Amino acid sequence: MKIRYCKSVIRNNYGYGLTMIGLGIFAVYINSSSVFSYLWIFLGILQAGTSYYRQRYQYLTIKEDKLIRHTIIPKSIALSDIRRVKKFMDSYKIETHNQSLRIEKNFIEKESLHKLNLFLENFKPKVSATLR
């Protein structure tokens, strides 16, 4: 199951990246000897690349045995290792015995957020004897 980003998040990041590239090209046109002009182009490419990555891989993937949050360095948690799911107003915190994963609700589209809520409501975390 894929938990998707809001389209507005991806679109805004992509637009911001293109704007930075445009400003960088304009700055190079005005003053090609300035390193900062090229920095704008580089940062714009990074921003647009991040937007492309988010569109391709989306926010979360829930497979049969693990949950993966896609970032530059993807973070995954085995579903069997989950000890606790904390629900906050604007996020979820999923904890294992040695790591945690925060899921921000603001980035998730409404339909995917509904799927995630159903999954977390039906999910029964494994509680060890040491936590009781």
Side-chain angles (χ1 to χ4, degrees), residues 77-122:
I77 292 180
L79 293 178
S80 60
D81 291 343
I82 294 175
R83 303 286 186 227
R84 187 180 330 179
V85 176
K86 291 183 179 179
K87 296 181 181 183
F88 298 106
M89 188 69 112
D90 60 348
S91 65
Y92 294 110
K93 186 173 183 182
I94 299 175
E95 299 176 344
T96 65
H97 64 281
N98 61 355
Q99 65 181 350
S100 67
L101 178 81
R102 183 170 294 274
I103 300 171
E104 299 290 334
K105 292 180 185 179
N106 302 351
F107 296 138
I108 301 173
E109 74 177 0
K110 290 183 181 185
E111 185 177 313
S112 291
L113 184 59
H114 181 67
K115 288 180 187 177
L116 180 63
N117 285 332
L118 287 175
F119 173 78
L120 292 176
E121 285 175 9
N122 295 329

Side-chain angles (χ1 to χ4, degrees), residues 8-70:
S8 63
V9 169
I10 294 172
R11 187 176 49 242
N12 290 342
N13 283 338
Y14 189 65
Y16 184 63
L18 290 179
T19 302
M20 289 175 68
I21 292 170
L23 287 173
I25 291 171
F26 181 70
V28 167
Y29 176 74
I30 290 175
N31 184 7
S32 63
S33 63
S34 174
V35 174
F36 294 109
S37 303
Y38 295 101
L39 184 64
W40 276 99
I41 295 172
F42 176 72
L43 292 175
I45 291 170
L46 282 178
Q47 187 72 31
T50 300
S51 180
Y52 173 76
Y53 181 84
R54 286 180 171 180
Q55 184 175 8
R56 181 176 168 105
Y57 292 103
Q58 296 302 322
Y59 191 57
L60 286 173
T61 303
I62 301 172
K63 295 185 177 182
E64 294 174 5
D65 60 341
K66 64 181 158 179
L67 184 139
I68 305 166
R69 187 179 73 192
H70 299 285

